[in-house]
């Protein structure tokens, strides 16, 4: 996930165990199969080929290091659910003060869970639901308000073999999720409510892989801005990716009022959407071209090369969400 206030060179930005909320609230997250409230109709069952392998999380996960305080950004822990089969999914914990890879773990036939002092991940192995939680009050220990910092992340991610748009007839993305909590913990430190947000977003990596194109190597962080606790709707955002060097990289995230049909994301309610990826990425490239970026890149030059979904927390927010279904799938041309 990329921060659009200041992109910091994060590479690919990139539950809940019963650790207490720093603000004394109960944890609303779970990974059971109950439906709960729903603000939009559930997507239809995907028909096609999955872009991302192991969509039900049957193989396990790698855990990456934090990249700060002497820790590397490489894989620190691998939890394989099946013998002789390596995971394709991973959890990234960039810039966190704590270490999931050294945290308490539960692994049995129905549950995988990891937690440290500020973060937790939980996977229901029966349903494939994934819960994520990141407590900014634990990470920071005080209100920040700093516009320039290395903000902690918690991301579920995968890097895949490129799936070229030119080889596909159709491509769609579906997501069902629930925000379990988003609590402003500033009062815990005797401060007024904070302005800086936390963000929950889903980014799909779109790269120009055509060696005959003048834009070969250009990169679009294409995504869906899912939730911002400081706004009624997480906004549509487009801007240069400053971490992209001279390649003309760009960030475009569809706002919640657009992918959500105008309905707000509310704590405790399931939300679903189903969108045409071809259409949305073409819009994103048009916006980038109008802004003077990726001018030599067309949709037919591009492929999907990975994704991440999760949190970036800019201040003392305690935030949690559950992902019930997530697919990008295509039919071949």
């Amino acid at each position: 996930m990329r921060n659009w206030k200041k992109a910091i060179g994060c590479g690919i930005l990139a539950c809940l165990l019963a650790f207490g909320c720093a603000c004394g609230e109960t944890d609303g997250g779970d990974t059971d199969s109950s439906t709960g409230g729903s603000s939009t109709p559930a997507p239809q069952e995907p028909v096609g080929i999955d872009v991302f392998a192991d969509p039900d999380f049957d193989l396990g996960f790698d855990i990456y290091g934090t990249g700060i305080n002497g820790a590397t950004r490489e894989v620190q822990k691998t939890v394989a659910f099946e013998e002789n089969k390596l995971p394709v999914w991973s959890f990234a914990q960039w810039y966190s003060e704590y270490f999931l890879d050294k945290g308490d773990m539960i692994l049995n036939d129905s549950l995988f869970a990891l937690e440290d002092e500020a973060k937790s991940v939980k996977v229901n192995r029966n349903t494939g639901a994934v819960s994520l939680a990141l407590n900014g009050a634990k990470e920071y220990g005080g209100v920040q308000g700093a516009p320039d910092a290395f903000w902690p992340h918690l991301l579920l991610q995968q890097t895949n073999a490129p799936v070229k748009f030119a080889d596909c007839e159709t491509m769609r993305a579906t997501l069902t999720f629930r925000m379990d909590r988003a609590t402003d913990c500033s009062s815990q430190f005797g401060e007024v409510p904070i302005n800086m947000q936390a963000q929950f977003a889903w980014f799909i990596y779109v790269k120009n892989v055509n060696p005959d194109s003048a834009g070969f190597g250009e990169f679009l962080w294409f995504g869906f801005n899912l939730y911002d606790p400081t706004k009624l709707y997480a906004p549509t955002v487009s801007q240069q990716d400053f971490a992209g060097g001279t390649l003309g990289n760009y960030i475009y995230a569809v706002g919640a009022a657009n992918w959500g049909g105008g309905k707000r994301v509310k704590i405790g309610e399931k939300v679903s959407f189903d969108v045409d990826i071809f259409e949305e990425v073409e819009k994103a490239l048009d916006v980038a071209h109008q802004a003077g970026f990726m001018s030599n890149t067309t949709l037919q030059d591009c492929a999907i090369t990975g994704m991440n979904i999760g949190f970036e927390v800019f201040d003392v927010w305690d935030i949690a969400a559950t992902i019930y279904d997530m697919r990008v799938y295509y039919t071949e041309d």
Side-chain angles (χ1 to χ4, degrees):
M1 183 182 313
R2 304 296 305 181
N3 160 42
W4 37 77
K5 289 192 175 180
K6 179 186 178 188
I8 48 182
C10 301
I12 52 175
L13 219 142
C15 112
L16 303 164
L17 293 169
F19 79 91
C21 167
C23 303
E25 292 196 354
T26 57
D27 177 6
D30 63 56
T31 52
D32 66 16
S33 59
S34 62
T35 58
S38 180
S39 61
T40 55
Q44 295 181 354
E45 185 69 22
V47 177
I49 303 167
D50 282 294
V51 171
F52 301 109
D54 189 25
D56 297 317
F57 311 111
D58 292 325
L59 299 181
F61 300 88
D62 289 323
I63 313 298
Y64 278 85
T66 64
I68 59 170
N69 298 331
T72 76
R73 292 170 61 92
E74 304 303 318
V75 173
Q76 301 298 300
K77 185 184 187 74
T78 296
V79 182
F81 293 169
E82 295 190 22
E83 190 174 357
N84 300 322
K85 291 185 179 181
L86 293 176
V88 295
W89 291 99
S90 62
F91 289 109
Q93 52 181 334
W94 314 136
Y95 309 123
S96 174
E97 296 291 333
Y98 302 98
F99 305 96
L100 272 178
D101 47 287
K102 298 179 181 178
D104 296 328
M105 185 173 78
I106 298 171
L107 178 60
N108 55 44
D109 290 342
S110 60
L111 176 67
F112 166 66
L114 267 176
E115 75 165 344
D116 60 32
E117 291 89 336
K119 307 184 300 296
S120 71
V121 301
K122 183 178 178 182
V123 181
N124 184 321
R125 297 188 61 194
N126 295 320
T127 66
V130 179
S131 289
L132 308 173
L134 174 56
N135 191 328
K138 296 283 189 179
E139 290 281 356
Y140 293 118
V143 173
Q144 300 301 293
D148 181 7
F150 292 101
W151 296 291
H153 298 59
L154 180 60
L155 307 173
L156 171 65
Q157 60 183 25
Q158 183 181 141
T159 301
N160 61 292
V163 176
K164 298 178 182 179
F165 286 97
D167 294 336
C168 302
E169 181 177 8
T170 65
M171 184 180 293
R172 302 195 69 83
T174 68
L175 180 67
T176 299
F177 71 94
R178 183 185 67 196
M179 292 305 304
D180 295 320
R181 68 173 178 269
T183 305
D184 176 355
C185 294
S186 56
S187 62
Q188 174 184 322
F189 305 100
E191 299 282 349
V192 298
I194 50 183
N195 294 323
M196 293 183 64
Q197 75 269 36
Q199 68 182 34
F200 180 45
W202 183 17
F203 278 92
I204 297 168
Y205 316 151
V206 176
K207 185 176 182 179
N208 184 330
V209 296
N210 180 3
D212 297 324
S213 166
F216 179 61
E218 292 181 339
F219 192 92
L220 173 69
W221 295 98
F222 168 76
F224 300 95
N225 201 4
L226 302 174
Y227 187 75
D228 178 343
T230 66
K231 297 178 174 62
L232 291 179
Y233 297 92
T236 295
V237 178
S238 61
Q239 71 170 51
Q240 180 184 4
D241 173 14
F242 294 98
T246 60
L247 287 178
N249 293 359
Y250 204 74
I251 303 168
Y252 184 89
V254 182
N258 299 94
W259 59 253
K263 295 184 178 180
R264 290 180 56 194
V265 176
K266 298 180 180 180
I267 300 296
E269 292 187 2
K270 280 189 180 180
V271 180
S272 298
F273 66 83
D274 181 332
V275 299
D276 184 328
I277 287 289
F278 271 65
E279 180 180 340
E280 295 298 334
V281 172
E282 282 192 311
K283 288 179 184 177
L285 286 173
D286 285 345
V287 171
H289 295 163
Q290 292 169 21
F293 296 93
M294 304 183 71
S295 300
N296 296 307
T297 293
T298 69
L299 183 68
Q300 295 301 301
D301 295 320
C302 294
I304 292 179
T305 62
M307 61 139 284
N308 68 56
I309 187 170
F311 306 127
E312 186 173 6
V313 175
F314 310 120
D315 219 315
V316 290
W317 290 98
D318 181 24
I319 191 166
T322 299
I323 302 160
Y324 290 93
D325 182 72
M326 178 176 60
R327 290 286 203 283
V328 180
Y329 60 99
Y330 64 97
T331 56
E332 293 179 314
D333 190 5

